[in-house]
């Protein structure tokens, strides 16, 4: 399995809209505290800057270090709407040196958002 890491400096090439979140994992930091968040994403591309052998059968996750002030606010309002979360907007704003605010919105099923602050983030793409 090969790993490609897209750092925050190259995040302007990434479009996560219309992608789907299908999992959350809290990972321990070096002290054993579950402060790092991995968000599993079924990513729709663009793939033009990724090596060709990554373009099919990939696993993608947004990895965020030292997450704090987290808000998970979404609601599945109808029947048959439980499942992955379709991203309708994704925004990262630098709020201080080494501090970022990540905001992910959902406008369909469910409706809501995820918002948190973190000290670093990256997109990891695994080619299977």
């Amino acid at each position: 399995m090969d790993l490609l890491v897209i750092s925050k400096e190259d995040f302007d090439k990434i479009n996560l809209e219309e992608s789907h979140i299908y999992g959350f994992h809290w990972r321990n930091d070096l002290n054993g505290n579950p402060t790092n968040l991995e968000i599993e994403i079924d990513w729709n591309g663009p793939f033009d800057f990724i090596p060709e052998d990554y373009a099919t059968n990939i696993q993608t996750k947004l990895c965020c270090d030292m997450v704090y002030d987290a808000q998970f606010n979404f609601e599945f309002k109808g029947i048959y709407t439980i499942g992955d979360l379709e991203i309708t907007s994704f925004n990262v704003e630098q709020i201080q040196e080494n501090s970022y605010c990540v905001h992910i919105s959902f406008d369909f099923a469910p409706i809501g958002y995820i918002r948190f602050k973190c000290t670093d983030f990256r997109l990891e793409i695994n080619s299977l």
Side-chain angles (χ1 to χ4, degrees):
M1 181 173 358
D2 294 326
L3 177 66
L4 177 65
V5 177
I6 309 297
S7 66
K8 62 182 168 284
E9 292 80 19
D10 293 325
F11 235 72
D12 59 339
K13 299 175 186 174
I14 302 297
N15 179 5
L16 293 178
E17 294 176 11
E18 298 182 9
S19 297
H20 294 258
I21 294 175
Y22 61 92
F24 300 93
H25 296 280
W26 290 100
R27 301 290 185 207
N28 291 345
D29 62 14
L30 297 176
N31 296 322
N33 301 310
T35 60
N36 300 330
L37 177 62
E38 292 180 357
I39 302 174
E40 294 179 1
I41 298 174
D42 181 10
W43 184 43
N44 290 330
F47 299 107
D48 56 342
F49 67 96
I50 294 177
E52 197 170 304
D53 57 333
Y54 279 82
T56 59
N57 200 15
I58 62 172
Q59 290 181 336
T60 307
K61 60 186 171 182
L62 177 65
C63 300
C64 303
D65 298 334
M66 193 59 198
V67 171
Y68 61 100
D69 292 344
Q71 298 175 11
F72 292 76
N73 184 356
F74 50 88
E75 181 178 358
F76 295 94
K77 292 190 174 198
I79 59 171
Y80 306 115
T81 60
I82 298 298
D84 54 0
L85 309 167
E86 183 175 349
I87 299 170
T88 53
S89 74
F90 176 84
N91 183 41
V92 177
E93 177 185 350
Q94 185 170 5
I95 52 178
Q96 295 177 358
E97 186 177 350
N98 297 323
S99 187
Y100 303 89
C101 183
V102 176
H103 187 99
I104 305 169
S105 296
F106 315 107
D107 292 334
F108 299 120
I111 296 173
Y113 64 89
I114 296 170
R115 182 174 35 234
F116 56 85
K117 296 174 184 168
C118 62
T119 59
D120 198 11
F121 63 94
R122 66 202 166 279
L123 193 69
E124 293 185 358
I125 303 167
N126 286 311
S127 176
L128 303 177

